[in-house]
C-alpha cells in the first residue's frame, strides 16, 4: 500500500476562510516532507517543505505542521483565495536503498467558493 | 531560471504503438526523475537518474518502458509497445540534490486508444 495518504479527498471552503489539508504517513523513518499544489493541466508546484527536526514551518499564507508522534502532516492556508483552488499533495522522502525519492499521496482537491 | 521543459504536450497513439517523451531539466540539476500520474492519483516514480546513471528503476515496467539520460542532461522516456493502461500524464522533475524539493515540468498527457 501507499505510505502517504490523505484524510479528505475533497475540501470546499469559502473565500477568505482558512483551509486545512491533512495527510498521514506511515514510514516513521522519513525525515523530509513536501506539500505540492497542482492546477489543472500543470505539473505539481512546490509550496513548502519541512524536515523532521521541526514541527512547524511558515511561508507566505501557508503553514505546515508536523506531528511525528502520530505521523501526521497538515497544510494550513490562511485567507483562502480562488487562486488556491487546486489539488494538493503531500509527499514523503523515501530513503530506501539510500537513494532518496518522493512518494506522493492521492491528493486533496480544494475548491474555493467566491 | 528556466523551468523543466517537456515535449510533446499531448500525444494520442493506438495500443501496441511506440511513443517517446523528452525532458530538459533545469541547468545544473544533477538528479532527474520520471513520474507517471494516472488520472485522480498522485504521481508515481518510474525512474531516477543521478547525472547519467540510473539510481532507482525498481518501479519501471522494463518489458515495455525504457529511459536514458545521455550526457547527464536531457532525458527520454520510451514506451514500446503501449497498452491502454499506460494512459496517464508523464511528469519529469529535476533537483540539484536528492534531498531537496523537485521542480516539475508540465508533463506529457498520453492517451492510448
Amino acid at each position: 500500500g501507499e505510505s502517504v495518504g490523505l484524510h479528505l479527498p475533497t475540501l470546499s471552503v469559502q473565500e477568505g476562510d482558512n483551509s486545512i489539508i491533512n495527510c498521514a504517513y506511515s514510514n516513521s523513518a522519513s525525515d523530509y516532507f513536501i506539500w505540492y499544489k497542482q492546477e489543472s493541466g500543470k505539473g505539481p508546484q512546490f509550496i513548502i517543505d519541512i524536515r523532521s527536526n521541526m514541527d512547524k514551518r511558515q511561508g507566505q499564507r501557508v503553514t505546515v505542521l508536523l506531528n511525528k508522534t502520530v505521523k501526521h502532516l497538515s497544510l494550513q492556508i490562511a485567507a483562502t483565495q480562488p487562486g488556491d483552488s487546486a489539488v494538493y499533495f503531500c509527499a514523503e522522502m523515501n530513503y530506501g536503498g539510500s537513494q532518496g525519492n518522493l512518494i506522493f499521496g492521492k491528493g486533496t482537491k480544494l475548491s474555493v467558493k467566491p | 531560471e528556466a523551468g523543466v521543459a517537456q515535449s510533446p504536450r499531448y500525444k494520442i497513439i493506438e495500443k501496441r504503438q511506440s511513443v517517446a517523451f523528452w525532458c530538459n531539466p533545469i541547468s545544473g540539476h544533477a538528479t532527474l526523475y520520471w513520474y507517471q500520474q494516472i488520472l485522480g492519483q498522485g504521481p508515481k516514480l518510474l525512474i531516477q537518474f543521478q547525472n547519467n546513471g540510473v539510481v532507482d528503476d525498481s518501479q519501471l515496467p522494463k518489458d515495455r518502458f525504457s529511459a536514458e539520460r545521455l550526457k547527464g542532461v536531457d532525458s527520454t522516456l520510451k514506451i514500446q509497445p503501449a497498452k491502454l493502461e499506460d494512459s496517464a500524464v508523464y511528469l519529469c522533475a529535476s533537483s540539484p540534490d536528492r534531498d531537496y524539493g523537485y521542480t516539475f515540468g508540465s508533463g506529457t498527457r498520453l492517451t492510448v486508444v
Side-chain angles (χ1 to χ4, degrees):
Chain A
E2 295 186 348
S3 66
V4 177
L6 297 172
H7 296 305
L8 297 173
T10 60
L11 178 65
S12 183
V13 300
Q14 202 69 38
E15 181 179 359
D17 288 351
N18 296 333
S19 303
I20 300 176
I21 301 172
N22 296 302
C23 175
Y25 64 95
S26 59
N27 188 347
S28 58
S30 295
D31 67 356
Y32 181 46
F33 304 88
I34 306 173
W35 281 99
Y36 282 92
K37 172 187 180 183
Q38 187 173 28
E39 297 174 281
S40 180
K42 298 183 180 179
Q45 177 187 4
F46 175 94
I47 301 174
I48 191 168
D49 60 358
I50 189 168
R51 296 194 182 272
S52 59
N53 60 351
M54 304 172 69
D55 53 18
K56 180 179 181 179
R57 191 160 188 232
Q58 289 184 291
Q60 186 178 14
R61 283 202 305 119
V62 294
T63 301
V64 55
L65 299 177
L66 175 63
N67 185 330
K68 295 182 288 294
T69 302
V70 295
K71 292 184 286 187
H72 184 268
L73 197 67
S74 70
L75 176 70
Q76 300 178 1
I77 304 174
T80 313
Q81 302 169 1
D84 295 326
S85 294
V87 177
Y88 289 81
F89 294 96
C90 64
E92 167 187 16
M93 182 63 78
N94 171 31
Y95 288 105
S98 79
Q99 301 301 330
N101 56 68
L102 288 177
I103 297 177
F104 285 79
K106 288 187 174 66
T108 292
K109 182 177 181 179
L110 175 65
S111 295
V112 182
K113 296 177 287 185
Chain B
E1 176 181 76
V4 175
Q6 289 189 247
S7 68
R9 191 77 176 86
Y10 303 93
K11 191 73 177 179
I12 301 175
I13 62 172
E14 295 182 347
K15 59 183 179 183
R16 292 187 289 274
Q17 286 187 322
S18 62
V19 64
F21 313 126
W22 173 82
C23 173
N24 179 234
I26 292 175
S27 178
H29 280 194
T31 312
L32 184 148
Y33 312 81
W34 283 102
Y35 278 80
Q36 180 194 58
Q37 186 175 24
I38 293 173
L39 184 64
Q41 299 183 16
K44 184 187 84 169
L45 179 71
L46 292 174
I47 189 167
Q48 175 184 350
F49 291 92
Q50 184 74 17
N51 296 309
N52 62 345
V54 175
V55 296
D56 187 349
D57 63 356
S58 58
Q59 298 189 75
L60 187 73
K62 299 179 187 62
D63 58 333
R64 299 183 300 106
F65 286 65
S66 64
E68 60 182 8
R69 191 184 183 196
L70 299 177
K71 302 180 181 179
V73 183
D74 293 4
S75 177
T76 56
L77 175 69
K78 297 179 182 178
I79 306 175
Q80 181 179 12
K83 293 185 176 181
L84 296 177
E85 58 261 36
D86 297 332
S87 294
V89 175
Y90 291 84
L91 295 162
C92 179
S94 70
S95 67
D97 184 278
R98 70 182 180 98
D99 288 342
Y100 290 87
Y102 312 163
T103 300
F104 282 85
S106 295
T108 296
R109 179 175 296 277
L110 173 67
T111 302
V112 182
V113 297

